[in-house]
């Protein structure tokens, strides 16, 4: 089975290189694709946060990982499967991040904390609603906390 997904928007920011850390202060404009009517984001300004689904279009196919690896190739971290981490070299090259919505300007959403580089295709945009957030405490291993120490910087 195969299917086609077309971008609904593109990232515009000053982050041109793929880097692992210091994404927290990055401001990005998410510009709707030409075929998406501006009415598609009507009412979105009522939400404080958005969930952005994007495509790691710069990841080369030969870099895709289907098995366990050390996160960031750091031997201090345990060997874990690609689905037990959030690395970019994923089988379908999809990233998902919750961002703060700063402003809506016509067909542009100004957001803070999007960990995607300039030109990244956006696959979907969803408002964050409390009802979709976990009700229980989130549990995670210590290595992931250490790995994320400087991610939002």
């Amino acid at each position: 089975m195969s299917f086609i997904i077309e971008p609904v928007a593109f990232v515009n920011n000053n982050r041109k290189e793929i880097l692992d850390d210091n994404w927290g202060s990055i401001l990005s404009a998410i510009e709707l694709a030409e075929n998406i009517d501006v009415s598609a984001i009507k009412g979105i300004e009522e939400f404080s946060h958005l969930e952005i689904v994007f495509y790691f279009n710069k990841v080369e196919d030969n870099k895709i990982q289907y098995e366990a690896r050390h996160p960031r190739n750091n031997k201090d971290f345990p060997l874990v499967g690609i689905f037990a981490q959030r690395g970019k070299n994923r089988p379908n090259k999809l990233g998902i991040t919750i961002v703060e919505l700063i402003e809506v300007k016509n067909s542009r959403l100004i957001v803070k904390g999007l960990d995607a580089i300039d030109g990244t295709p956006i696959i979907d945009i969803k408002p964050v609603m409390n009802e979709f957030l976990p009700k229980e405490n989130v549990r995670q291993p210590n290595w992931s906390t250490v790995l994320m120490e400087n991610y939002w910087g």
Side-chain angles (χ1 to χ4, degrees):
M1 172 174 48
S2 66
F3 52 91
I4 297 172
I5 295 177
E6 296 290 333
V8 297
F10 293 89
V11 175
N12 184 330
N13 65 24
N14 62 5
R15 194 80 177 253
K16 311 298 184 207
E17 297 178 49
I18 301 171
L19 301 171
D20 285 330
D21 290 319
N22 302 309
W23 289 100
S25 63
I26 300 294
L27 286 177
S28 298
I30 296 176
E31 182 75 43
L32 291 179
E34 290 181 11
N35 64 322
I36 303 295
D37 191 88
V38 71
S39 68
I41 57 173
K42 182 174 176 45
I44 205 165
E45 69 280 354
E46 297 294 322
F47 294 90
S48 65
H49 291 79
L50 304 174
E51 193 166 21
I52 307 300
V53 181
F54 54 95
Y55 183 67
F56 290 116
N57 62 312
K58 300 289 186 186
V59 172
E60 298 172 20
D61 288 344
N62 65 344
K63 303 285 186 189
I64 299 296
Q65 296 175 316
Y66 296 93
E67 62 283 321
R69 70 174 178 104
H70 299 281
R72 292 196 187 174
N73 298 313
N74 183 336
K75 302 277 189 205
D76 292 335
F77 297 140
L79 194 64
V80 295
I82 192 64
F83 298 129
Q85 53 188 293
R86 295 182 64 105
K88 64 187 174 300
N89 298 346
R90 319 183 65 69
N92 285 321
K93 304 180 188 181
L94 294 179
I96 300 173
T97 302
I98 293 176
V99 300
E100 180 183 1
L101 177 60
I102 304 296
E103 185 178 2
V104 179
K105 294 182 177 180
N106 300 318
S107 63
R108 298 173 67 134
L109 305 172
I110 309 303
V111 300
K112 184 176 181 183
L114 179 59
D115 52 346
I117 62 173
D118 187 60
T120 298
I122 301 297
I123 303 305
D124 204 357
I125 302 165
K126 295 181 179 218
V128 172
M129 299 177 184
N130 285 320
E131 293 79 7
F132 284 96
L133 297 174
K135 304 296 179 257
E136 307 77 22
N137 287 330
V138 174
R139 177 176 43 90
Q140 66 186 49
N142 187 58
W143 67 262
S144 65
T145 302
V146 172
L147 180 139
M148 295 300 292
E149 283 178 345
N150 296 312
Y151 194 81
W152 299 111

